[in-house]
Amino acid sequence: MKKSRIAGTGSYLPENIVTNADLEKILDTSDQWIRERTGITERRVAKEGETSADMAEVAAQRAMKSAGVNPEDVGLIVVGTTTPDLVFPSTACLLQARLGLPDCGAMDVNAACSGFMYALSVADKYIRCGDVQTALVIGVDKLTAMVDWNDRGTAVLFGDGAGAVVLQASDEAGILSTHIHAAGRHSDLLGVDVGVGTGFKEEPRGGVLIKMKGNEVFKVAVRTLGRIVDETLEHNNMEKTDLDWLIPHQANYRIISATAKKLGMTMDQVIVTVDKHGNTSAASVPLALDEAVRSGKVKRGNILLLEAFGGGFTWASALIKY
Ligand code: UT7
């Protein structure tokens, strides 16, 4: 059976930087509180009219360039996003046309902050079963479009961006395993409680806004990520000491360091971008991966553990020989 490997990575961040000092002007918050409780110092906010497809298009082009892949080579596009440009066509279909891809399968996966990890898992399976040779996998979100700028509990957390990878069939394992989970029973702790089915045609009362019981989410996230890293290592008969890098979802520095501690890793074995990006939802893991590759930290042959946790709840991981 074929395996899939990461042939190239790419990412995109909007130009506009919003600092904690900027947020101090509009919210009852402080730079000190935000840094101490989250590790965030700034985040990028997409400009009016700049959409998920716009951000994803640039990230995808960069990933294809770094992989040396032409549009006609791509046999599948999977986009993890919670903020599609349209209800349909999917963001994947919009991108397929913009990027000049062939008439390959194109789909969005909505798993909130775990969206990229879910998309990676889907594309990996298509390559393993031999149906697809080259897949484009993207994580993109514009969560700031759904942020309640009056709610200090959420407004300070989120940023926008996109990250992408090109997966290719390979005889040698690159992606060693992927693991996906969900627990819909926790849907009241984190979500956006309007949609087409709730009468989206009427102006939604209060707007389309993210609602989160942050402290409860925090506790579940730490526990759940602790479990999935164990599951991932056990599945591959690997020890914590076999890992070179942890590339975690960038929601909160305290959640990231709890997972690193559980793995016995020092923080210099962890890719941290939450300070500069905030929580970019489905984009956070591929953005961190791309930064780590381009900065020369992550090298070919390194063993990487990727993980994410988000609304749903959803959570997912991948063990990768880069
Ligand atoms: O990516 C998807 C998954 N999402 C997450 O993983 C997010 C998980 N949650 C978190 O990261 C943290 O829970 C937060 C950063 C959201 C909040 O940190 P916390 O330590 O859990 O704070 P808290 O919600 O327990 O609030 C503590 C206090 C409260 O004040 P009182 O009631 O003690 O007087 C809040 O009102 O901090 C207050 N607070 C703030 N103060 C200043 C909440 N947000 C702010 C703020 N600035 N921005």
Short mmCIF file of all heavy atoms in Angstrom, two decimals, residues 143 146-148 151 153-155 157-158 186-194 204-214 217 311-313:
data_model
loop_
_atom_site.label_atom_id
_atom_site.label_comp_id
_atom_site.label_asym_id
_atom_site.label_seq_id
_atom_site.Cartn_x
_atom_site.Cartn_y
_atom_site.Cartn_z
N LEU A 143 -11.93 33.87 11.38
CA LEU A 143 -12.81 33.88 12.55
C LEU A 143 -13.10 35.30 13.03
O LEU A 143 -14.12 35.52 13.70
CB LEU A 143 -12.20 33.07 13.70
CG LEU A 143 -12.28 31.55 13.65
CD1 LEU A 143 -12.04 30.97 15.03
CD2 LEU A 143 -13.59 31.03 13.10
N MET A 146 -16.47 36.64 12.82
CA MET A 146 -17.54 36.18 13.72
C MET A 146 -17.22 36.52 15.18
O MET A 146 -17.84 35.98 16.09
CB MET A 146 -17.73 34.67 13.58
CG MET A 146 -18.06 34.23 12.17
SD MET A 146 -18.60 32.52 12.08
CE MET A 146 -17.13 31.64 12.60
N VAL A 147 -16.22 37.38 15.38
CA VAL A 147 -15.85 37.75 16.75
C VAL A 147 -16.78 38.84 17.27
O VAL A 147 -17.10 39.79 16.54
CB VAL A 147 -14.37 38.23 16.78
CG1 VAL A 147 -14.10 39.10 17.99
CG2 VAL A 147 -13.42 37.04 16.75
N ASP A 148 -17.22 38.69 18.50
CA ASP A 148 -17.99 39.73 19.17
C ASP A 148 -16.97 40.69 19.81
O ASP A 148 -16.37 40.36 20.84
CB ASP A 148 -18.88 39.08 20.25
CG ASP A 148 -19.69 40.12 21.01
OD1 ASP A 148 -19.45 41.33 20.82
OD2 ASP A 148 -20.56 39.69 21.82
N ASP A 151 -16.94 41.34 23.53
CA ASP A 151 -16.74 40.24 24.48
C ASP A 151 -15.24 40.02 24.70
O ASP A 151 -14.56 39.39 23.88
CB ASP A 151 -17.40 38.96 23.93
CG ASP A 151 -17.13 37.75 24.80
OD1 ASP A 151 -16.63 37.91 25.95
OD2 ASP A 151 -17.38 36.62 24.32
N GLY A 153 -13.77 38.08 26.57
CA GLY A 153 -13.42 36.67 26.77
C GLY A 153 -13.06 35.95 25.48
O GLY A 153 -12.40 34.91 25.51
N THR A 154 -13.51 36.49 24.33
CA THR A 154 -13.18 35.85 23.05
C THR A 154 -12.45 36.78 22.08
O THR A 154 -11.60 36.33 21.30
CB THR A 154 -14.45 35.33 22.32
OG1 THR A 154 -15.39 36.41 22.23
CG2 THR A 154 -15.08 34.16 23.06
N ALA A 155 -12.74 38.10 22.15
CA ALA A 155 -12.21 39.01 21.12
C ALA A 155 -10.69 39.05 21.08
O ALA A 155 -10.11 39.31 20.04
CB ALA A 155 -12.77 40.42 21.35
N LEU A 157 -8.67 36.62 21.42
CA LEU A 157 -8.04 35.32 21.13
C LEU A 157 -7.75 35.07 19.66
O LEU A 157 -6.78 34.39 19.34
CB LEU A 157 -8.96 34.19 21.62
CG LEU A 157 -9.34 34.21 23.10
CD1 LEU A 157 -10.33 33.08 23.39
CD2 LEU A 157 -8.10 34.05 23.97
N PHE A 158 -8.62 35.58 18.77
CA PHE A 158 -8.60 35.03 17.41
C PHE A 158 -7.89 35.91 16.39
O PHE A 158 -7.83 37.13 16.53
CB PHE A 158 -10.04 34.76 16.94
CG PHE A 158 -10.74 33.74 17.81
CD1 PHE A 158 -11.74 34.12 18.70
CD2 PHE A 158 -10.36 32.41 17.77
CE1 PHE A 158 -12.36 33.19 19.51
CE2 PHE A 158 -10.98 31.47 18.58
CZ PHE A 158 -11.99 31.86 19.46
N HIS A 186 -20.72 18.37 23.73
CA HIS A 186 -20.20 19.61 24.34
C HIS A 186 -20.48 20.85 23.49
O HIS A 186 -19.82 21.87 23.68
CB HIS A 186 -18.69 19.49 24.53
CG HIS A 186 -18.28 18.43 25.49
ND1 HIS A 186 -18.67 18.44 26.81
CD2 HIS A 186 -17.51 17.33 25.33
CE1 HIS A 186 -18.16 17.37 27.42
NE2 HIS A 186 -17.46 16.68 26.54
N SER A 187 -21.45 20.74 22.56
CA SER A 187 -21.62 21.83 21.60
C SER A 187 -21.99 23.16 22.26
O SER A 187 -21.79 24.22 21.68
CB SER A 187 -22.66 21.45 20.55
OG SER A 187 -23.88 21.16 21.19
N ASP A 188 -22.53 23.12 23.49
CA ASP A 188 -22.92 24.37 24.14
C ASP A 188 -21.71 25.16 24.68
O ASP A 188 -21.85 26.31 25.07
CB ASP A 188 -23.90 24.08 25.30
CG ASP A 188 -23.28 23.15 26.33
OD1 ASP A 188 -22.58 22.17 25.91
OD2 ASP A 188 -23.45 23.39 27.54
N LEU A 189 -20.55 24.56 24.72
CA LEU A 189 -19.39 25.25 25.32
C LEU A 189 -18.66 26.15 24.34
O LEU A 189 -17.93 27.06 24.73
CB LEU A 189 -18.40 24.23 25.91
CG LEU A 189 -18.91 23.38 27.07
CD1 LEU A 189 -17.80 22.47 27.58
CD2 LEU A 189 -19.43 24.26 28.20
N LEU A 190 -18.79 25.86 23.04
CA LEU A 190 -18.07 26.63 22.03
C LEU A 190 -18.79 26.50 20.69
O LEU A 190 -18.98 25.38 20.21
CB LEU A 190 -16.62 26.09 21.91
CG LEU A 190 -15.74 26.62 20.79
CD1 LEU A 190 -15.60 28.14 20.86
CD2 LEU A 190 -14.35 25.99 20.87
N GLY A 191 -19.19 27.63 20.13
CA GLY A 191 -19.85 27.55 18.82
C GLY A 191 -20.43 28.88 18.38
O GLY A 191 -20.27 29.92 19.04
N VAL A 192 -21.09 28.83 17.24
CA VAL A 192 -21.83 29.96 16.68
C VAL A 192 -23.25 29.44 16.51
O VAL A 192 -23.47 28.52 15.72
CB VAL A 192 -21.24 30.37 15.31
CG1 VAL A 192 -22.07 31.49 14.68
CG2 VAL A 192 -19.78 30.81 15.46
N ASP A 193 -24.21 30.00 17.27
CA ASP A 193 -25.50 29.32 17.38
C ASP A 193 -26.52 29.78 16.35
O ASP A 193 -27.72 29.75 16.58
CB ASP A 193 -26.05 29.40 18.80
CG ASP A 193 -26.27 30.83 19.26
OD1 ASP A 193 -26.11 31.74 18.42
OD2 ASP A 193 -26.58 31.04 20.45
N VAL A 194 -26.06 30.24 15.19
CA VAL A 194 -26.98 30.51 14.08
C VAL A 194 -26.45 29.84 12.82
O VAL A 194 -25.27 29.59 12.68
CB VAL A 194 -27.18 32.02 13.79
CG1 VAL A 194 -27.94 32.67 14.90
CG2 VAL A 194 -25.84 32.70 13.55
N PRO A 204 -29.89 37.49 11.84
CA PRO A 204 -29.79 36.76 13.11
C PRO A 204 -29.76 37.74 14.29
O PRO A 204 -29.07 38.76 14.22
CB PRO A 204 -28.46 36.02 13.00
CG PRO A 204 -28.07 36.07 11.57
CD PRO A 204 -28.73 37.28 10.98
N ARG A 205 -30.52 37.39 15.34
CA ARG A 205 -30.54 38.26 16.53
C ARG A 205 -29.15 38.32 17.13
O ARG A 205 -28.55 37.29 17.43
CB ARG A 205 -31.50 37.69 17.58
CG ARG A 205 -32.96 38.04 17.34
CD ARG A 205 -33.78 37.76 18.58
NE ARG A 205 -33.60 36.38 19.04
CZ ARG A 205 -34.32 35.36 18.59
NH1 ARG A 205 -35.26 35.55 17.70
NH2 ARG A 205 -34.11 34.15 19.05
N GLY A 206 -28.59 39.51 17.25
CA GLY A 206 -27.28 39.66 17.87
C GLY A 206 -26.13 39.40 16.90
O GLY A 206 -24.98 39.64 17.23
N GLY A 207 -26.39 38.86 15.72
CA GLY A 207 -25.33 38.64 14.74
C GLY A 207 -24.79 37.22 14.77
O GLY A 207 -25.20 36.39 15.58
N VAL A 208 -23.85 36.97 13.87
CA VAL A 208 -23.22 35.65 13.75
C VAL A 208 -21.94 35.70 14.57
O VAL A 208 -20.90 36.16 14.11
CB VAL A 208 -22.91 35.34 12.26
CG1 VAL A 208 -22.30 33.96 12.11
CG2 VAL A 208 -24.17 35.46 11.42
N LEU A 209 -22.05 35.27 15.83
CA LEU A 209 -20.94 35.52 16.76
C LEU A 209 -20.48 34.25 17.48
O LEU A 209 -21.31 33.40 17.85
CB LEU A 209 -21.38 36.54 17.82
CG LEU A 209 -21.80 37.92 17.28
CD1 LEU A 209 -22.36 38.78 18.40
CD2 LEU A 209 -20.63 38.61 16.60
N ILE A 210 -19.17 34.17 17.70
CA ILE A 210 -18.60 33.05 18.45
C ILE A 210 -18.96 33.20 19.93
O ILE A 210 -18.78 34.28 20.50
CB ILE A 210 -17.06 33.03 18.32
CG1 ILE A 210 -16.65 32.85 16.86
CG2 ILE A 210 -16.45 31.94 19.21
CD1 ILE A 210 -15.19 33.07 16.60
N LYS A 211 -19.45 32.10 20.52
CA LYS A 211 -19.72 32.11 21.96
C LYS A 211 -18.91 30.99 22.59
O LYS A 211 -18.91 29.86 22.07
CB LYS A 211 -21.20 31.91 22.23
CG LYS A 211 -21.98 33.12 21.73
CD LYS A 211 -23.46 33.05 21.99
CE LYS A 211 -24.11 34.29 21.38
NZ LYS A 211 -25.42 34.05 20.85
N MET A 212 -18.22 31.30 23.67
CA MET A 212 -17.36 30.28 24.28
C MET A 212 -17.35 30.41 25.80
O MET A 212 -17.22 31.52 26.32
CB MET A 212 -15.93 30.42 23.74
CG MET A 212 -14.97 29.41 24.39
SD MET A 212 -13.38 29.30 23.58
CE MET A 212 -12.64 30.83 24.13
N LYS A 213 -17.46 29.25 26.47
CA LYS A 213 -17.23 29.22 27.91
C LYS A 213 -15.76 28.82 28.07
O LYS A 213 -15.42 27.62 28.18
CB LYS A 213 -18.16 28.21 28.59
CG LYS A 213 -19.61 28.66 28.49
CD LYS A 213 -20.57 27.72 29.17
CE LYS A 213 -22.00 28.22 28.98
NZ LYS A 213 -23.00 27.15 28.97
N GLY A 214 -14.90 29.85 28.00
CA GLY A 214 -13.46 29.63 27.83
C GLY A 214 -12.83 28.71 28.85
O GLY A 214 -12.08 27.79 28.50
N VAL A 217 -13.79 25.11 28.33
CA VAL A 217 -13.13 24.59 27.11
C VAL A 217 -11.66 24.30 27.42
O VAL A 217 -11.12 23.25 27.02
CB VAL A 217 -13.22 25.62 25.95
CG1 VAL A 217 -12.47 25.12 24.72
CG2 VAL A 217 -14.67 25.89 25.59
N GLY A 311 -14.01 23.54 18.35
CA GLY A 311 -15.46 23.49 18.51
C GLY A 311 -16.05 22.22 17.93
O GLY A 311 -15.59 21.70 16.92
N GLY A 312 -17.05 21.74 18.62
CA GLY A 312 -17.69 20.48 18.19
C GLY A 312 -18.14 19.64 19.38
O GLY A 312 -19.28 19.32 19.48
N PHE A 313 -17.22 19.30 20.30
CA PHE A 313 -15.77 19.37 20.18
C PHE A 313 -15.24 18.41 19.14
O PHE A 313 -15.79 17.33 18.96
CB PHE A 313 -15.09 19.04 21.51
CG PHE A 313 -15.24 20.10 22.56
CD1 PHE A 313 -15.49 19.76 23.88
CD2 PHE A 313 -15.13 21.45 22.25
CE1 PHE A 313 -15.62 20.73 24.86
CE2 PHE A 313 -15.26 22.43 23.24
CZ PHE A 313 -15.50 22.06 24.55
#
